[in-house]
Amino acid sequence: MTTVKMQEDHIISVDPATGDAIGTVPNCSDDEVLAAVERSRVAFLKWKRTSFAERKAFVMSAREVILGDLDGIASLISRETGKPVAEALAMEIAPVLDLMQWIARGAEKMLRPQRIGLGLYSLMGRSSMIVYQPLGVVGIIPAWNYPFSIPLGEAAMALMAGNTVIIKPSELTPLTGLKIGEIFEKAGLPPDVVQIVTGGGLAGSALVKAAPDKIMFTGSVATGKKILADAAEKMTPAVLELGGKDAMIVFDNANIELAAEAAVWAAFANSGQSCCSVERLYVQKGVAEKLTEKIIEKTEALKQGVGTDPDVSVSAMSSEKQIAIVEDHVDAFRKAGAKIMTGGQRNGSLAGLSSGGDLFYEPTVITGANNKMRPMQEETFGPTLPIAVFDNEEEAVAMANDSEFGLTASVWTGDRSRGRRVAERIEAGTVCINEVMYTHGIGRTPWGGFKNSGRGRTHGKEGLMELVQPQHIHTNRLPFLPNAWWLPYSSSAGSLFHDLATKFASGSLLRTSLMLPKLMRRTRELLKLRKGKK
Ligand code: NAD
């Protein structure tokens, strides 16, 4: 067994490429998780009063700590996940450093109090504004596939919004989770503002049940459902970033060379273990053969091996459980009549590298796929690229939307207006035109799925808004007169309220002005009553 070893009180983290144990961490109990949440609540009372400038200084110095240990962190991520060091740098560390500087510099402006135009109410001396209050304790439960950038990016955004944070890293990547805690500690963050609780699903569930003020979850649909059920008990809100079965649509006027390169990267980077990996490629009939040939040629040129070798492009998968799903799906494709053009098995030449199992699965290109085949509907999360052919735009859109998932998609075409038209018809949270997969790396843009790919958003202004609660402050600048709609009612009140419905509620200043005599009569009535009572 080359994957994580869970014991009652500790977890041994294992390098999936070599099978070597690389560290031991505690398997936190429910009580330990609960105690962390309680400490976090106390820390929040001070943290929420810090200024944006203070928060920015901490986040920016956390960046400096990362920059000071770039290679060490990249190597740790590579060893715990199996991904190439190059990918840890390009797809995790660089994007999260960019997100950190963006949110540190931009949060104050994005969370500045906002005035609301009140229309006719402002003539009555009323004004309204929204101020953004932090939530409190934010519990982050990430997956193992981007164990550094996803929880760290969410933590940086939560901190800038004035929240405290608890991260429960995946049991497959606990050392990377602890590294995030160490980075904030070195950056001088006050105690308990960011805490890491290591453990498996039980620790995650304990965190949800401890009722933090928000859960930011990244993982499978099955776990997302359990989290929602646990969160319902105390009505804890949750953002869910779930699975994908992302479609790439290539029209016959696309740049085929570029589309082939893009497909190979988006299907096989991180051994296909990205939520937004291309898992279904739909190509227009006229260019299907040419695109497929190019994809196969480029796939066969990829070097597979241990991720710390700088020439390696595809490394080991994360776990036996994950590689077993890939084997099942490739088998199902074969049985359903699809053709395995390259790959389709574990890489026997690398089997000896691992002291435990054999987690290298060859990048696999499959032709003759169609949506009726089971693995075209279930998430594979592995290095497979099934290709299906379509005739026209209508068919391409229908095929792409025929899925329970809707995280991202891409449209490849030389005609930008077609690109835009098709993009808007695809049911997915992000659709790229002549681009693929990488926008999670642009922290400024929102991230999240349609359908079963998720609920809510991370990243971007939309993601920041998930980490605050808008508070409406309403002021009466003329606090002298009783409101006409206050008690007690009378026949003149009834007549005025009739006008409220027919004139004031029309939004027209002219029509509203016609009700002024009635308004004055009613106000005099209320003032008389006030005097009479004295
Ligand atoms: P998973 O659902 O098995 O685990 C995710 C996390 O949840 C882990 O930390 C795990 O310990 C924890 N967990 C497990 N059971 C729990 C419970 N009952 N209560 C609380 N926490 C619990 O997922 P995984 O295998 O780690 O990740 C793979 C999945 O993540 C894929 O489906 C992938 O598409 C998805 N993912 C989505 C995004 C996105 O942005 N949408 C990004 C990365 C990964």
Side-chain angles (χ1 to χ4, degrees):
M1 171 90 170
T2 52
T3 52
V4 67
K5 293 184 170 65
M6 295 277 298
Q7 307 292 342
E8 203 170 314
D9 63 343
H10 67 275
I11 300 170
I12 303 170
S13 177
V14 174
D15 180 335
T18 63
D20 297 340
I22 49 177
T24 302
V25 305
N27 186 6
C28 292
S29 67
D30 290 8
D31 286 348
E32 285 167 318
V33 174
L34 191 59
V37 174
E38 278 160 11
R39 286 195 300 276
S40 195
R41 287 198 196 291
V42 174
F44 171 67
L45 299 177
K46 267 196 184 163
W47 182 254
K48 70 174 176 182
R49 275 193 238 108
T50 53
S51 65
F52 282 105
E54 285 169 279
R55 296 174 200 165
K56 174 181 170 188
F58 284 121
V59 173
M60 292 305 274
S61 52
R63 285 185 83 257
E64 291 307 314
V65 176
I66 297 168
L67 287 167
D69 186 21
L70 217 48
D71 294 331
I73 295 171
S75 153
L76 173 66
I77 298 170
S78 166
R79 292 205 66 198
E80 260 203 325
T81 58
K83 71 177 67 175
V85 170
E87 260 169 29
L89 281 165
M91 295 176 73
E92 292 220 54
I93 300 179
V96 81
L97 284 170
D98 180 45
L99 180 149
M100 288 167 85
Q101 65 80 19
W102 162 72
I103 197 68
R105 293 181 171 129
E108 181 168 13
K109 190 168 170 213
M110 284 185 274
L111 296 178
R112 200 170 274 163
Q114 303 285 320
R115 273 204 180 288
I116 303 177
L118 290 186
L120 293 175
Y121 289 91
S122 52
L123 297 179
M124 291 154 54
R126 307 303 204 271
S127 70
S128 273
M129 66 174 1
I130 299 286
V131 294
Y132 297 101
Q133 301 284 5
L135 299 171
V137 178
V138 174
I140 300 177
I141 305 178
W144 44 264
N145 61 338
Y146 288 86
F148 190 68
S149 58
I150 291 180
L152 176 53
E154 290 174 358
M157 292 183 71
L159 291 175
M160 285 308 301
N163 304 291
T164 50
V165 166
I166 298 183
I167 301 173
K168 200 299 288 173
S170 164
E171 55 275 37
L172 292 180
T173 53
L175 296 174
T176 307
L178 288 173
K179 179 59 78 180
I180 294 172
E182 191 187 311
I183 288 165
F184 280 116
E185 199 181 323
K186 285 191 179 153
L189 205 70
D192 301 330
V193 172
V194 170
Q195 296 177 79
I196 315 296
V197 290
T198 47
L202 288 178
S205 177
L207 178 54
V208 178
K209 288 178 181 155
D213 300 284
K214 186 106 182 193
I215 289 290
M216 303 293 289
F217 170 73
T218 306
S220 59
V221 173
T223 308
K225 286 181 183 170
K226 288 185 197 158
I227 286 187
L228 273 192
D230 282 345
E233 184 70 21
K234 301 233 168 84
M235 293 203 292
T236 306
V239 166
L240 306 176
E241 295 293 350
L242 308 176
K245 190 79 196 168
D246 296 3
M248 174 170 180
I249 300 174
V250 183
F251 285 101
D252 55 8
N253 61 353
N255 179 331
I256 298 302
E257 186 70 34
L258 195 71
E261 287 162 356
V264 169
W265 176 68
F268 304 133
N270 202 15
S271 285
Q273 300 167 116
S274 300
C275 48
C276 46
S277 291
V278 168
E279 294 213 0
R280 296 176 291 152
L281 194 156
Y282 300 110
V283 56
Q284 200 159 16
K285 212 179 213 161
V287 290
E289 203 178 314
K290 188 170 159 200
L291 180 72
T292 306
E293 269 170 23
K294 285 183 185 290
I295 286 175
I296 293 169
E297 186 190 316
K298 291 172 199 301
T299 301
E300 289 178 342
L302 298 173
K303 181 176 170 186
Q304 191 164 27
V306 176
T308 44
D309 173 347
D311 295 328
V312 158
S313 293
V314 182
S315 185
M317 295 198 62
S318 61
S319 68
E320 185 58 43
K321 180 179 152 206
Q322 207 54 55
I323 206 168
I325 297 172
V326 177
E327 287 182 322
D328 169 50
H329 281 191
V330 171
D331 199 37
F333 270 125
R334 262 195 204 104
K335 286 187 178 140
K339 228 172 145 187
I340 314 300
M341 304 302 287
T342 186
Q345 59 188 358
R346 296 190 192 217
N347 189 329
S349 70
L350 297 172
L353 279 181
S354 165
S355 58
D358 160 19
L359 297 181
F360 295 88
Y361 199 90
E362 290 178 356
T364 299
V365 179
I366 300 159
T367 55
N370 67 59
N371 282 6
K372 291 203 179 77
M373 297 176 177
R374 177 172 60 85
M376 288 293 271
Q377 296 295 338
E378 295 174 4
E379 186 180 39
T380 306
F381 222 52
T384 56
L385 180 56
I387 302 174
V389 176
F390 66 86
D391 278 318
N392 55 46
E393 188 175 310
E394 209 54 40
E395 202 188 348
V397 170
M399 285 163 104
N401 286 341
D402 173 24
S403 172
E404 67 166 297
F405 296 107
L407 188 56
T408 81
S410 66
V411 184
W412 295 77
T413 170
D415 171 356
R416 259 200 266 158
S417 63
R418 166 183 262 179
R420 175 80 192 274
R421 185 174 65 235
V422 172
E424 289 188 22
R425 292 183 66 197
I426 303 284
E427 297 157 355
T430 295
V431 185
C432 294
I433 301 165
N434 296 325
E435 240 325 330
V436 73
M437 192 165 92
Y438 86 117
T439 67
H440 189 272
I442 316 175
R444 294 161 177 76
T445 59
W447 185 261
F450 285 12
K451 303 195 272 190
N452 278 356
S453 285
R455 298 288 181 271
R457 293 293 177 269
T458 60
H459 292 190
K461 185 160 184 195
E462 292 77 3
L464 186 62
M465 289 301 148
E466 299 274 7
L467 296 162
V468 289
Q469 40 194 344
Q471 182 181 39
H472 173 203
I473 308 283
H474 184 75
T475 307
N476 178 1
R477 293 161 192 259
L478 304 170
F480 321 116
L481 297 173
N483 284 325
W485 54 87
W486 286 357
L487 298 171
Y489 303 136
S490 64
S491 59
S492 79
S495 165
L496 175 72
F497 298 167
H498 196 267
D499 278 13
L500 272 184
T502 57
K503 299 187 171 68
F504 178 80
S506 73
S508 153
L509 180 59
L510 189 66
R511 294 187 69 180
T512 301
S513 65
L514 299 176
M515 61 184 268
L516 278 179
K518 282 189 189 170
L519 179 65
M520 284 159 70
R521 199 175 316 132
R522 167 69 175 156
T523 307
R524 272 201 306 274
E525 178 183 67
L526 287 171
L527 287 173
K528 237 191 219 163
L529 274 168
R530 187 198 270 178
K531 267 193 193 152
K533 288 215 171 105
K534 273 188 185 165

